[in-house]
Amino acid sequence: MRSRQISRIHANQKKTLVFFIIGAALCVLLEFIGVNSLSVEELVTPLFDIPLPDIIAIFIVYTILGISAGIASRIKYESVFLGLSAGQCQFLLPVIIYFITKQSSDVFMLCVRSLVGIPYVACISFMIFGIKYFFKHKKRK
């Protein structure tokens, strides 16, 4: 009896690493410029005062990151992996900081901050790749 082999999905490792580093840097950089991306409380003293609410600023930054991940991908599964790697730190770091250091945070806002990470960026990058794929194949016809 033949065993079914699961096909492997390949993503460019260099692109994945670059998007992971960009996502991690954005996660920490947002804290330094005054957007509380990791916790509801201020973890570091901000360098600037951003007039937008924190959640909206986080969504805007990670939407731009998801759009760039969708544009940079060549195959549809690669767009999902680039989105997953880009949003990984924004997903994990708020949870880690909440459970290790600051257990007095608002749990709902913590969940919203962590959902901006992996699910949101991966969905945005996959949708942008789909739009790119649609227009690319529409031009060929």
Side-chain angles (χ1 to χ4, degrees), residues 24-95:
L26 282 175
C27 189
V28 175
L29 182 68
L30 284 172
E31 279 291 326
F32 284 115
I33 63 170
V35 176
N36 296 331
S37 65
L38 301 176
S39 179
V40 178
E41 293 96 17
E42 218 174 78
L43 295 177
V44 291
T45 56
L47 301 174
F48 304 105
D49 187 28
I50 305 294
L52 288 173
D54 295 339
I55 290 299
I56 294 174
I58 296 168
F59 270 105
I60 290 171
V61 168
Y62 279 94
T63 300
I64 294 169
L65 187 60
I67 289 170
S68 61
I71 291 172
S73 59
R74 294 189 180 201
I75 56 176
K76 64 181 171 183
Y77 298 118
E78 185 180 42
S79 68
V80 173
F81 283 116
L82 292 179
L84 291 174
S85 63
Q88 188 171 2
C89 285
Q90 182 59 38
F91 183 75
L92 294 174
L93 286 180
V95 176

